[in-house]
Amino acid sequence: PDIYLIVLDEYAASATARELLGFDNSPFENRLRQYGFRIAGNAVTHTGNTATVMASVLNMERQETPAAGMEDVSYEGVKHNRVFSLLHSQGYRTIHFPILHYADVVSPMPHADVNVDPQQLGGSRHLGDFHYELLKTTLCRPFMQGLYEDNAQCLPALYTNHIFDQLHVLPGQRGPKFVYAHVPSPHS
């Protein structure tokens, strides 16, 4: 069977979104379930360090948060991980969409058949949605004219859209595949 590990980085759990924001995320989750996805509804991490969490998941064992200045240990754990190696050896086509924030240190993965390079998408503006809205709605707005009038071309937005476009067509490709997509929204 195909395996998709889609990480919506910093996406709030449904209970959290409901309690803190009054937002009902159940239609989205129900639609994912209709497509056959499983949602880890009560999942929590042992650390707030994204690279350490993903190194733990992709190596199937808990990784400790490295000391300050030693973050490369977690990045290496993501880049050279047991899940990609195991599934690649079992005949899976392995596809890696790295998170934008540290793509340069976790990619290319040696056991990935496809390593997506976000920088190849173009998009010269490295301004995320939150920062765009913040600038657009504050005293900085007059200074934005001509710089960030259309946030659809910022790299995080382009990359997120590219990931979802690719996730839409991947099921039609032959053979078993493992897709790890680390989506930079909503906090990019």
Side-chain angles (χ1 to χ4, degrees):
D2 291 347
I3 303 168
Y4 289 82
L5 174 59
I6 302 170
V7 177
L8 303 176
D9 205 294
E10 292 193 15
Y11 194 88
S14 285
T16 303
R18 187 172 35 261
E19 290 170 20
L20 298 179
L21 305 172
F23 180 75
D24 179 13
N25 199 37
S26 60
F28 174 63
E29 288 189 356
N30 291 337
R31 186 65 177 237
L32 289 173
R33 286 185 187 96
Q34 287 175 351
Y35 285 118
F37 285 93
R38 293 190 189 121
I39 299 168
N42 296 319
V44 294
T45 62
H46 67 289
T47 178
N49 182 294
T50 299
T52 302
V53 170
M54 294 319 304
S56 297
V57 169
L58 293 170
N59 286 290
M60 301 178 284
E61 65 184 16
R62 181 183 174 127
Q63 308 286 311
E64 293 304 321
T65 304
M70 300 295 294
E71 292 83 7
D72 287 352
V73 172
S74 291
Y75 298 141
E76 283 299 308
V78 172
K79 186 173 184 172
H80 300 279
N81 67 76
R82 291 171 45 201
V83 169
F84 268 79
S85 178
L86 173 69
L87 292 173
H88 186 79
S89 73
Q90 297 297 311
Y92 275 77
R93 182 167 182 248
T94 52
I95 303 164
H96 176 220
F97 294 91
I99 190 163
L100 190 58
H101 306 303
Y102 53 83
D104 57 329
V105 291
V106 299
S107 194
M109 280 187 183
H111 294 290
D113 295 305
V114 177
N115 282 286
V116 176
D117 181 359
Q119 302 300 328
Q120 296 299 316
L121 298 174
S124 59
R125 301 174 183 146
H126 296 271
L127 190 65
D129 294 334
F130 171 78
H131 297 102
Y132 175 75
E133 290 300 319
L134 180 69
L135 291 173
K136 189 173 82 173
T137 58
T138 65
L139 291 174
C140 295
R141 185 176 185 179
F143 302 105
M144 289 180 57
Q145 194 159 11
L147 294 175
Y148 295 109
E149 292 179 22
D150 179 11
N151 199 40
Q153 292 303 308
C154 76
L155 187 55
L158 284 171
Y159 186 48
T160 299
N161 289 334
H162 176 73
I163 289 172
F164 284 110
D165 288 345
Q166 292 303 305
L167 290 175
H168 180 72
V169 298
L170 285 171
Q173 295 181 4
R174 299 180 71 176
K177 64 192 93 26
F178 171 63
V179 179
Y180 167 44
H182 200 145
V183 183
S185 290
H187 76 299
S188 308

